[in-house]
Amino acid sequence: MLMRQHGEIRNLFDEVENTAGEERRDAFRRLVRMLAVHETAEEEVVHPFARKAFGDAGQVVAERLEEERLAKEKLSALEKMDTEDAAFLPALLELRVDVTEHARSEERYEFAHLRRSADPKRLVALAKAVRAAEATAPTHPHPGVESGARNMALGPMATVMDRTRDAVRRAMGKDGRTAGEDSDAG
C-alpha cells in the first residue's frame, strides 16, 4: 500500500511539472495533501512499528524522520510560493529528488525488513492502522512534528486547522476569490 502511494506521489510530481496555471495549482494542492497525509501515517504507525519489529530499526527510522523533516520544510516553503513563480519549478525538482531518495530508502531499508520480520497478520493490521491515521491526518506539512508522539499530541489540532483552511479555500473558489468577485477586486 505504501509503495503504491510512493508511485502516486511520483505521478503527482510529474503532473505538477508538466502542467501550468490552474492545473498546476490543483495538482500541487493534491501533491501537498498526499505527502502530508502519507508522511503523518508513516510517522504515527509505520516507524514506531518498525522500531519494535527489527533490531537495527532505530537508526533506520531516525534517518527517515530527518529526511521527512527536511522535506516538510521544503514543502512548506513551496506552499508559500505561487506555482507560476520562476523559482517554483527548480525548488519543486529539488524536493522531488529528496522525496524520491527518501521513498527509495524506506522501501529498501524499512519496508523490506518489515516484510521479512513481521507476521503477515501483523502487516494487515499495520495497513489498517495506516488507513486510520491517514483519515485523520493533517493535510499540510508541519515541520518539527515527525515523531508518533508529537503527531498524536499536535496532530488533531493541526488536522482541524488544515482541513478548515482547505474547506475555506474550496468555498472561496479555486483561486481564493468568491464566485462573484472579478479579477480587479481586492
Side-chain angles (χ1 to χ4, degrees):
M1 175 181 73
L2 294 170
M3 289 172 62
R4 185 183 71 248
Q5 288 179 355
H6 287 171
E8 291 171 21
I9 289 166
R10 284 189 296 274
N11 291 341
L12 281 168
F13 271 112
D14 287 344
E15 190 175 342
V16 175
E17 290 173 34
N18 295 316
T19 56
E22 190 57 41
E23 284 182 81
R24 177 178 285 165
R25 278 187 287 281
D26 179 59
F28 182 64
R29 283 185 201 116
R30 288 183 283 124
L31 175 64
V32 168
R33 181 184 180 90
M34 179 80 177
L35 285 170
V37 168
H38 176 84
E39 292 305 331
T40 297
E42 287 180 344
E43 292 161 5
E44 288 181 4
V45 179
V46 178
H47 300 323
F49 184 83
R51 277 194 178 107
K52 294 175 187 169
F54 60 96
D56 61 345
Q59 183 61 34
V60 169
V61 169
E63 291 168 2
R64 301 302 74 80
L65 290 173
E66 178 61 12
E67 293 164 0
E68 289 168 11
R69 184 187 64 75
L70 294 171
K72 285 180 184 181
E73 288 176 359
K74 290 179 181 181
L75 187 58
S76 289
L78 273 167
E79 232 186 340
K80 294 174 184 159
M81 297 174 75
D82 186 305
T83 57
E84 298 302 312
D85 186 305
F88 179 82
L89 273 180
L92 180 80
L93 295 174
E94 183 179 316
L95 174 66
R96 182 183 188 146
V97 167
D98 293 346
V99 167
T100 301
E101 288 175 6
H102 168 74
R104 196 172 307 129
S105 293
E106 281 181 335
E107 291 171 9
R108 182 175 181 192
Y109 300 114
E110 192 171 8
F111 299 171
H113 284 297
L114 286 175
R115 281 194 305 275
R116 282 193 303 267
S117 62
D119 176 83
K121 289 180 183 176
R122 298 272 313 209
L123 293 177
V124 169
L126 180 68
K128 288 178 183 176
V130 165
R131 284 187 199 97
E134 288 176 341
T136 60
T139 58
H140 297 273
H142 295 277
V145 184
E146 284 78 36
S147 73
R150 285 186 182 155
N151 271 306
M152 295 296 192
L154 301 173
M157 191 173 15
T159 299
V160 170
M161 289 174 25
D162 288 355
R163 292 175 189 251
T164 300
R165 180 171 76 175
D166 295 344
V168 168
R169 267 194 195 146
R170 282 191 301 275
M172 295 295 289
K174 290 182 180 180
D175 61 357
R177 293 190 306 262
T178 57
E181 288 181 288
D182 61 37
S183 60
D184 295 319

